[in-house]
Amino acid sequence: MNYRVPVPVPQVILDDVRGAQKMLSGVSRVTPMEGSRHLSALTGSPVHFKCENLQRTGSFKLRGAYVRIAGLRPEQRAAGVVAASAGNHAQGVALASSLLGVRSTVFMPVGAPLPKVAATQEYGAEVRLHGQVVDETLAAAQEHADRTGAVFIHPFDHRDIIAGQGTVGLEILEQCPEVRTILVGIGGGGLAAGIAVAVKALRPDVKVVGVQAEGAAAYPPSLRVGHPVSIENPNTMADGIKVGRPGDVPFAIIGELLDDVRTVSEDALSSALLLCLERAKLVVEPAGCSTVAALLSEPELYGNGPVVAVLSGGNVDPLLLQRILRHGMAAAGRYLSLRLRVADRPGALAGLLAVLSTVDANVQDVSHVRTDPRLGLTEVEVELHLETKGPEHCAEVARSLHSAGYRVMA
């Protein structure tokens, strides 16, 4: 990182993380480490996945939530806890509360995916749907805490949360002692801060690199000015890291300990999700595979030794997954959409499909448009969705259509 921020001593230390690890024994899973042959070949270094998508509740969030709630005083536990989340934190708080015998209320946006709402309820929380965006949901949760005395469990801006998430870093060092670089996604910063505390205390030579989605990258501008700043309208498919402002506590740690923060595009995120499914046989949500997106985007940066990419979560709505997969296939040159005009006469469509068959393009959908005022009297517009084999195959399809006299509109 080219900038350093003068900050006080971090508020979380290695002993806090080690204490959290003891507390989590028998509660959270020691998630597996899986190698990636494809990414190892791409980077020139061994690449391993730390599979927090296989953690209980489907993400690392259980770790911090359990440590935070377990540390409450008896009178605080009696008052119950409240949280606001669109998914992973909600489920972590719900399960942690159930395991500790604490009543939990979780506020979720009205449009939260139904599978995440159902899972949160099944883990034992009372779910209340409020607001269209997370900020409105958060305000409702804080109002509930003020009114009832319930303890608000913040998703990342608390030292106990960070200590719990830091146990991921301890496991990485135990499972892959030769690691040289750790990649971790950043939203509010709790996971990255916790891992940095643990890893830098034990192995200061290991680089810890944060990854943010380009449309929700609040850390780079915040680090440049030396304090958390908000970005307007964060926008990314990676809802698990769609946070508009860094947390104060993790920001101080990240500014001091992280080596770099990289950003990745939406195309890279969708391509990374597709790679995890096809090559690693792992279901990973967009936020969870942001680290894989970083490796795909800039593989040349990670050739100096073993890399561990944290797959932070696997809770993805099936409908969103369907859209992302199509986007990922398009980004990887595996899916091609195009429009062209043909003569409105019998056999014209068959002739077009015959051209496509000669280049082995698999037609998934075909639609005709006859009523567009831009069309000539004897023309029809055909929209095609093709499954292809990669960028070179897409170019071959385009050349074949051009050679056959077709003019591709898009």
Side-chain angles (χ1 to χ4, degrees), residues 140-295:
Q142 291 175 326
E143 188 277 331
H144 176 86
D146 294 338
R147 178 169 47 82
T148 66
V151 179
F152 179 70
I153 306 299
H154 199 283
F156 50 81
D157 206 11
H158 193 281
R159 58 176 298 154
D160 290 344
I161 295 286
I162 293 170
Q165 322 302 30
T167 59
V168 176
L170 295 180
E171 290 178 15
I172 290 173
L173 295 183
E174 292 167 1
Q175 294 171 310
C176 186
E178 68 277 14
V179 63
R180 299 295 300 168
T181 303
I182 297 173
L183 288 167
V184 54
I186 302 182
L191 177 62
I195 289 176
V197 167
V199 170
K200 290 297 186 178
L202 295 170
R203 289 281 306 281
D205 60 302
V206 174
K207 288 186 177 180
V208 182
V209 178
V211 183
Q212 291 207 288
E214 287 178 355
Y219 264 89
S222 297
L223 290 166
R224 281 194 291 271
V225 300
H227 59 82
V229 297
S230 298
I231 58 171
E232 293 185 6
N233 302 317
N235 183 28
T236 174
M237 71 175 75
D239 58 349
I241 54 175
K242 189 168 70 172
V243 178
R245 182 187 184 279
D248 293 329
V249 180
F251 177 81
I253 296 169
I254 286 171
E256 180 67 19
L257 298 181
L258 238 65
D259 293 279
D260 200 359
V261 175
R262 313 299 297 181
T263 60
V264 293
S265 68
E266 298 297 286
D267 281 352
L269 286 168
S270 56
S271 295
L273 188 148
L274 185 62
L275 183 144
C276 287
L277 276 174
E278 288 192 323
R279 298 299 183 94
K281 312 305 183 227
L282 292 168
V283 177
V284 187
E285 63 189 274
C289 64
S290 60
T291 53
V292 179
L295 290 167

Side-chain angles (χ1 to χ4, degrees), residues 294-368:
L295 290 167
L296 290 174
S297 301
E298 300 176 295
E300 69 280 359
L301 297 181
Y302 307 103
N304 63 340
V307 179
V308 172
V310 180
L311 306 182
S312 57
N315 294 316
V316 56
D317 177 46
L319 295 177
L320 176 62
L321 179 61
Q322 185 179 39
R323 295 197 299 270
I324 292 172
L325 287 178
R326 177 166 287 192
H327 187 266
M329 290 181 70
R334 301 268 304 282
Y335 188 84
L336 179 63
S337 297
L338 48 85
R339 291 183 299 112
L340 41 81
R341 293 175 183 176
V342 300
D344 189 10
R345 58 176 173 76
L349 179 59
L352 170 62
L353 296 180
V355 173
L356 295 173
S357 69
T358 63
V359 289
D360 201 26
N362 185 28
V363 179
Q364 293 189 329
D365 296 294
V366 180
S367 64
H368 285 73

Side-chain angles (χ1 to χ4, degrees), residues 22-225:
K22 293 178 181 178
M23 191 179 296
L24 289 167
S25 178
V27 176
S28 65
R29 293 173 181 153
V30 177
T31 50
M33 191 87 74
E34 299 287 345
S36 172
R37 181 179 300 177
H38 177 76
L39 289 174
S40 297
L42 189 65
T43 62
S45 292
V47 174
H48 307 278
F49 296 148
K50 176 59 173 168
C51 299
E52 281 296 289
N53 58 309
L54 302 179
Q55 184 57 261
R56 296 179 71 178
T57 74
S59 87
F60 70 96
K61 289 289 190 177
L62 172 65
R63 298 173 184 261
Y66 188 90
V67 173
R68 173 75 172 102
I69 297 169
L72 297 178
R73 299 186 302 274
E75 64 272 20
Q76 291 177 310
R77 292 195 188 193
V81 299
V82 60
S85 168
N88 289 346
H89 180 59
Q91 294 172 65
V93 169
L95 179 56
S97 299
S98 294
L99 293 173
L100 292 164
V102 176
R103 184 178 69 258
S104 63
T105 303
V106 176
F107 285 78
M108 303 182 77
V110 172
L114 291 179
K116 294 185 178 183
V117 174
T120 304
Q121 291 172 327
E122 289 170 8
Y123 287 128
E126 177 190 348
V127 173
R128 300 187 184 183
L129 301 179
H130 184 92
Q132 299 298 322
V133 296
V134 174
D135 285 346
E136 295 173 356
T137 308
L138 180 64
Q142 291 175 326
E143 188 277 331
H144 176 86
D146 294 338
R147 178 169 47 82
T148 66
V151 179
F152 179 70
I153 306 299
H154 199 283
F156 50 81
D157 206 11
H158 193 281
R159 58 176 298 154
D160 290 344
I161 295 286
I162 293 170
Q165 322 302 30
T167 59
V168 176
L170 295 180
E171 290 178 15
I172 290 173
L173 295 183
E174 292 167 1
Q175 294 171 310
C176 186
E178 68 277 14
V179 63
R180 299 295 300 168
T181 303
I182 297 173
L183 288 167
V184 54
I186 302 182
L191 177 62
I195 289 176
V197 167
V199 170
K200 290 297 186 178
L202 295 170
R203 289 281 306 281
D205 60 302
V206 174
K207 288 186 177 180
V208 182
V209 178
V211 183
Q212 291 207 288
E214 287 178 355
Y219 264 89
S222 297
L223 290 166
R224 281 194 291 271
V225 300

